[in-house]
Amino acid sequence: MPKPRKNRIFAIVLITLLLLAVTLLSTLPGSPLSFITSPISVLLEPVQKGLSKTVDQVNGFFSALSESIVIREENQRLQAENAELRSQIDQLAEAGRQYEELKSAFKLKSRFDAYEIVGGRIMTREIGSWFDVFRIDVGSRDGFRVTETMSYAVVNSQSQLVGRLMATDLASAKVLPLLHEGFAVSAKVNTVSSPLFRVRGDFDLKEQGLCLIDQIPLNARLQIGDEVITSGSGGLFPAGIPIGRIVQVLENADRNQRQAYLQPYVDLENIQTVFVMKAVGHED
Amino acid sequence: MKINRRIIRAVLVYAVYILGLGLLQTILSDRVAILNAKPDLTLVLAVLAGYLFGQRDGITVGLLAGFMRDALAGRGLGLGMLLLMYAGLTAAVAFRGFFRRNISLGLILVILETVMYHLMITFLTFAVPVLPGVAYTLPGLYQHMLQILPGALITNTLAGIPLILLLYFAGPYRRDGRPEEDDEERDVGDSLWQMK
């Protein structure tokens, strides 16, 4: 075998082993390898934002063309709705004043008072079903740093669960969406003293846009249409974040292995902005 | 001096393609998806670079495009680099000699490499689970691959048409000045472009 070819084969084997090692090392939560992507994030951030904006505008233009009739009808409906909502706003403003008084009186805490909410724009989306996390423009410079024991909940503008941060570099973070098979959260039905169970992404259900509910206690009564929220158990996700609704309950002969399917509220395909929740006072 | 200009041109052209296609791939709307699959532009780029311009280009473009993919949408670092490096390498080694760098056969190569890529990532996802605590079964992964493969084949083939033309007419090297690649040239036996 000629020497150059032998050297080339040796180099390829070496690179392969090195990349396998990098792959394994980068899977560790809080891996320092996450920061290798910092330069590329910083450099590409303005380009990506510009590109995303252009794509949004192009999409918006074509949507406007194809949906102009629908938009006109919707505009009329919205105007009527707007008038009704204005009246409701006045009533709610008064109710809000009363609530603030009650809140201070009883020292109630708002649901997420203990959390700082930082908004982020989605910069890149998944590439097929194997490279399926998305990236947002919030990073360690905003005070977020994922470690083995620390991550952050990600919600949408309606405070509905989107996922959690899985890695951060200087200028960006990767978000593991709740449909992903690597995602799991302790949850319960949105009623008083509901038993806890687990909601997680599932490899087979992902394509249908559904999550799996498992580890359901024997005494739990789940029904189609029940709203599921985070339980707060585990400390990563604050209690009370809406996740979605149960769409199917799979009763098993072995009641220890009951499962259900959940339709998440969040529309991951059309989401543009997300909010990352950080416990106030947490600086690492 | 001539060599330097040639290298600079190649580096610049590849940089534009890798950055441009890498970014474009991550912001593509679902509207362009066929059978739930969007075109894998960086894979097609690595394959065509290897096929048209040889091992060195295939490996280098594969590694850099893979890094972009890992950085932008990967669960970890390294997997995309590994996969695309081998896509570029096999395109150069296994098929270039057989297809003799015939451009019209490049699309067949894209199809074959797409199948190989999906087989490889299916196996690697099983063998090297990137997410801790997630266990995959090989039959489950294989079923999933079968579901997404038809769409991937169609979209990658469609994406291959403009990319072949781009690399041919606006590629990293002048069409009359392809680089000599030591032993590779002897393997292939021709150093001229063929446009059939």
Side-chain angles (χ1 to χ4, degrees), chain A residues 193-214:
Chain A
S193 67
S194 159
L196 307 188
F197 44 78
R198 182 173 70 168
V199 172
R200 65 179 175 90
D202 181 81
F203 194 64
D204 296 323
L205 294 175
K206 186 164 59 173
E207 298 297 326
Q208 301 166 48
L210 299 175
C211 290
L212 184 71
I213 297 177
D214 62 3

Side-chain angles (χ1 to χ4, degrees), chain A residues 82-193:
Chain A
N82 190 30
E84 192 183 329
L85 287 172
R86 276 179 191 282
S87 133
Q88 284 182 12
I89 285 170
D90 292 336
Q91 294 171 30
L92 286 172
E94 177 54 31
R97 276 190 290 276
Q98 290 177 10
Y99 168 72
E100 286 301 323
E101 287 172 12
L102 279 171
K103 182 182 160 187
S104 55
F106 292 104
K107 294 188 177 172
L108 285 174
K109 287 178 87 178
S110 288
R111 208 165 35 153
F112 305 126
D113 263 1
Y115 287 84
E116 182 189 341
I117 311 288
V118 178
R121 184 177 168 80
I122 292 179
M123 297 165 76
T124 58
R125 294 183 180 277
E126 80 283 354
I127 304 175
S129 52
W130 304 111
F131 292 80
D132 49 4
V133 299
F134 58 88
R135 231 159 48 92
I136 58 173
D137 60 351
V138 168
S140 59
R141 67 182 175 195
D142 302 296
F144 295 100
R145 193 181 175 114
V146 176
T147 65
E148 200 168 346
T149 54
M150 188 67 212
S151 183
Y152 304 89
V154 181
V155 296
N156 68 2
S157 55
Q158 279 88 49
S159 294
Q160 295 160 342
L161 191 63
V162 172
R164 69 170 170 86
L165 294 194
M166 71 175 291
T168 47
D169 63 25
L170 189 65
S172 71
K174 286 179 179 172
V175 177
L176 189 71
L178 79 169
L179 289 176
H180 196 286
E181 62 269 20
F183 182 90
V185 58
S186 172
K188 62 175 191 169
V189 173
N190 191 8
T191 56
V192 180
S193 67

Side-chain angles (χ1 to χ4, degrees), chain B:
Chain B
M1 187 58 108
K2 194 182 172 188
I3 292 171
N4 284 343
R5 284 180 63 183
R6 199 182 65 191
I7 291 172
I8 289 168
R9 174 188 160 127
V11 168
L12 286 177
V13 170
Y14 276 138
V16 168
Y17 279 128
I18 291 168
L19 287 172
L21 294 177
L23 284 175
L24 183 63
Q25 189 166 342
T26 56
I27 57 169
L28 274 179
S29 164
D30 286 336
R31 290 174 189 214
V32 300
I34 298 174
L35 300 176
N36 288 327
K38 290 190 276 188
D40 196 335
L41 301 175
T42 43
L43 170 68
V44 178
L45 176 68
V47 167
L48 291 177
Y51 176 57
L52 297 175
F53 307 116
Q55 281 183 44
R56 202 172 301 147
D57 289 39
I59 291 173
T60 310
V61 171
L63 281 172
L64 294 174
F67 177 72
M68 278 287 286
R69 159 192 299 246
D70 285 336
L72 298 179
R75 301 173 185 183
L77 278 176
L79 189 62
M81 294 171 78
L82 189 65
L83 287 162
L84 293 202
M85 180 188 82
Y86 273 99
L89 177 66
T90 52
V93 176
F95 297 105
R96 216 181 90 184
F98 181 69
F99 287 160
R100 301 181 70 79
R101 214 185 277 153
N102 184 314
I103 289 183
S104 53
L105 291 177
L107 291 181
I108 295 173
L109 178 64
V110 169
I111 291 170
L112 292 173
E113 286 282 356
T114 301
V115 175
M116 276 179 57
Y117 166 84
H118 279 89
L119 284 171
M120 203 164 155
I121 198 169
T122 297
F123 174 73
L124 280 175
T125 304
F126 174 73
V128 191
V130 179
L131 291 161
V134 181
Y136 297 98
T137 63
L138 207 48
L141 288 168
Y142 181 70
Q143 281 300 321
H144 180 73
M145 185 200 77
L146 290 182
Q147 283 171 12
I148 57 176
L149 194 56
L153 287 173
I154 294 170
T155 50
N156 286 356
T157 309
L158 290 175
I161 297 169
L163 266 178
I164 286 178
L165 294 174
L166 271 173
L167 287 173
Y168 180 75
F169 289 108
Y173 307 104
R174 287 164 59 92
R175 272 182 286 159
D176 57 352
R178 275 201 73 258
E180 293 299 319
E181 287 196 273
D182 48 74
D183 53 336
E184 276 186 77
E185 294 309 313
R186 288 197 293 276
D187 290 343
V188 175
D190 74 44
S191 60
L192 296 173
W193 287 79
Q194 294 181 28
M195 187 73 174
K196 291 181 180 173

